[in-house]
Amino acid sequence: MSYKPSYPIDEIHGKLSSHRDGGTRIPVARQKTFGKDANGNLIQGPKELYAYRVHEGPWSPNVEAARSLFGQAQRQARAELADPERYAYWKALFDEQINHPQPGKKRYSTILGFVSTQIQTLLRQSTN
C-alpha cells in the first residue's frame, strides 16, 4: 500500500501501527529544526516517523532516582534564576556558551535548561 499524505510526511509505505484502538503504541512524526543559516533560512533535519510504547508497570529504582535528581535540579535552577544576583552570574555563563560554543559540547538554547543541567551535574558528582 502506498499513500501520499501532506506535511510532515512525504510518503508512507506499509502499516503505521497495529494498535489503532488506543493501544500502548504511539506513532510520532517529526522534523527537527537546527537553527538558521547565514541567510536566515531554517536548517531542518530529516523527517522522522516512528512509534514508541507507553511504559506500563512500575519504574525501576534507577529511573526513579534519575527522575528525582532531575526534579531537584529543576527546582534549584528555578530558585537560582529567581535571585537577581544569581541570575546575573548564570546569565554570563549562559551567554558565554551561546557566543563561544565549544566543539563537542552542547549549546543550550534556554537559560533554565543550561542552569538545570549544570546543577544536575553537580548533584550527580556529589552523590558519587
Side-chain angles (χ1 to χ4, degrees):
M1 173 185 147
S2 181
Y3 175 67
K4 186 75 171 164
S6 62
Y7 179 81
I9 305 163
D10 285 334
E11 192 171 350
I12 298 174
H13 296 279
K15 184 167 43 171
L16 283 178
S17 174
S18 60
H19 297 280
R20 297 183 188 272
D21 59 348
T24 60
R25 288 173 49 126
I26 298 174
V28 177
R30 73 175 185 187
Q31 184 175 25
K32 292 182 181 178
T33 301
F34 301 102
K36 296 182 179 179
D37 64 14
N39 297 325
N41 301 317
L42 294 177
I43 302 169
Q44 294 185 322
K47 295 176 183 175
E48 301 170 337
L49 179 64
Y50 60 93
Y52 71 89
R53 289 193 183 277
V54 175
H55 179 78
E56 294 177 340
W59 293 100
S60 72
N62 287 344
V63 171
E64 289 290 342
R67 286 177 153 199
S68 175
L69 186 71
F70 177 81
Q72 183 180 357
Q74 286 287 308
R75 287 186 296 278
Q76 286 185 12
R78 289 176 195 278
E80 289 271 317
L81 294 174
D83 178 356
E85 288 182 23
R86 296 301 294 163
Y87 179 85
Y89 167 77
W90 286 113
K91 180 73 169 134
L93 293 176
F94 174 74
D95 289 344
E96 178 68 21
Q97 63 92 35
I98 288 284
N99 297 327
H100 304 287
Q102 300 294 315
K105 285 196 152 196
K106 180 175 177 169
R107 196 168 92 182
Y108 293 88
S109 59
T110 67
I111 192 166
L112 178 61
F114 174 76
V115 175
S116 65
T117 300
Q118 304 306 312
I119 291 173
Q120 190 170 1
T121 300
L122 292 173
L123 290 172
R124 197 176 283 128
Q125 289 172 351
S126 68
T127 59
N128 291 337

